Amino acid sequence: MRYQAVLFDFDGVLGDTMQDNYNAWKKAFNDYNIQLKHEEYFLLEGLSTKSVAMTILDKEGMDLALAKEIADLKEKYYFENNKFNFFPGALELVAELRETCLLGLVSGSGTERLHRTTSADFLAQFHVVITGDMVERSKPDPESYLTAARQLRMHPNVCLVIENAPLGIHAAKSAEMFCIAVCSTLTQEKLQDADMIVKDLCSLRLLLNQNLGGGGGGGGGGGG
């Protein structure tokens, strides 16, 4: 199939942000005497910021009304101490794909953090940007990916999703999109529900250049 749109998750796929996000979450939860484990958070990647806070509070049997307060504290700690970088090959991959197909950025992060983390020039390369505060239901619900497809006027089955976490993979598959997982933050064993798994963005670039550069029949054209 020749995919007509590629939809990227941001954190852990293009932006090497997960460790800084974890550090901020860990500090915020520590203020409430909650110990957040590394993999515990990484498996929640894809949820909106408030949903992460609610999930952990629910697990700890604490008042869910604290969620916004903790989420705001986490964002404060993140902006105070982060060392943002793109993963190697991320910028080149986005620039190359823009020449052949439509691009979407579909992130569970909030609009403010995405815009403060990255440049306007980078975000302008995407034909649509969907953030966690733009939808009612965050990943693993398919709403964010379906919203991106709708705004691109593309049928879901000609959209290719690039993810790095189980909740995002589930969202993509629930949207009936083909999903490639990148082992940037979790091991291959945690990503088995994806249609394909690659070790890094360099491997993904090779794969996509081979498969998106040629012809091939698609499973449906642009939708309404």
Side-chain angles (χ1 to χ4, degrees), residues 68-98:
K68 185 180 186 306
E69 184 178 319
I70 295 176
D72 289 345
L73 188 59
K74 176 265 172 181
E75 294 291 80
K76 172 179 178 291
Y77 288 149
Y78 178 85
F79 288 127
E80 288 176 352
N81 186 25
N82 74 86
K83 303 170 184 175
F84 175 76
N85 288 295
F86 287 103
F87 280 109
L91 297 178
E92 295 83 354
L93 176 59
V94 169
E96 289 167 2
L97 289 176
R98 186 176 169 83

Side-chain angles (χ1 to χ4, degrees), residues 84-219:
F84 175 76
N85 288 295
F86 287 103
F87 280 109
L91 297 178
E92 295 83 354
L93 176 59
V94 169
E96 289 167 2
L97 289 176
R98 186 176 169 83
E99 298 299 316
T100 60
C101 58
L102 297 177
L103 294 183
L105 195 63
V106 182
S107 175
S109 69
T111 301
E112 180 185 6
R113 180 160 66 83
L114 191 62
H115 282 264
R116 287 178 63 178
T117 298
T118 62
S119 69
D121 287 344
F122 170 74
L123 293 176
Q125 295 189 74
F126 296 89
H127 300 91
V128 63
V129 175
I130 305 297
T131 57
D133 49 12
M134 295 170 64
V135 295
E136 292 185 11
R137 299 174 298 278
S138 61
K139 303 171 187 177
D141 191 277
E143 181 185 357
S144 56
Y145 281 119
L146 291 174
T147 300
R150 184 171 62 253
Q151 291 190 14
L152 291 172
R153 301 184 65 81
M154 286 286 135
H155 193 283
N157 67 6
V158 295
C159 296
L160 169 64
V161 172
I162 312 300
E163 269 287 351
N164 69 302
L167 297 184
I169 294 169
H170 184 85
K173 298 309 298 174
S174 295
E176 299 186 354
M177 299 177 181
F178 193 90
C179 182
I180 300 177
V182 183
C183 295
S184 53
T185 57
L186 292 168
T187 62
Q188 182 172 331
E189 289 71 26
K190 303 291 186 183
L191 308 173
Q192 290 300 311
D193 288 339
D195 296 291
M196 295 183 67
I197 302 173
V198 295
K199 67 177 182 177
D200 53 30
L201 289 185
C202 294
S203 301
L204 180 64
R205 282 181 72 192
L206 290 174
L207 178 66
L208 295 185
N209 284 336
Q210 292 168 0
N211 287 276
L212 293 181

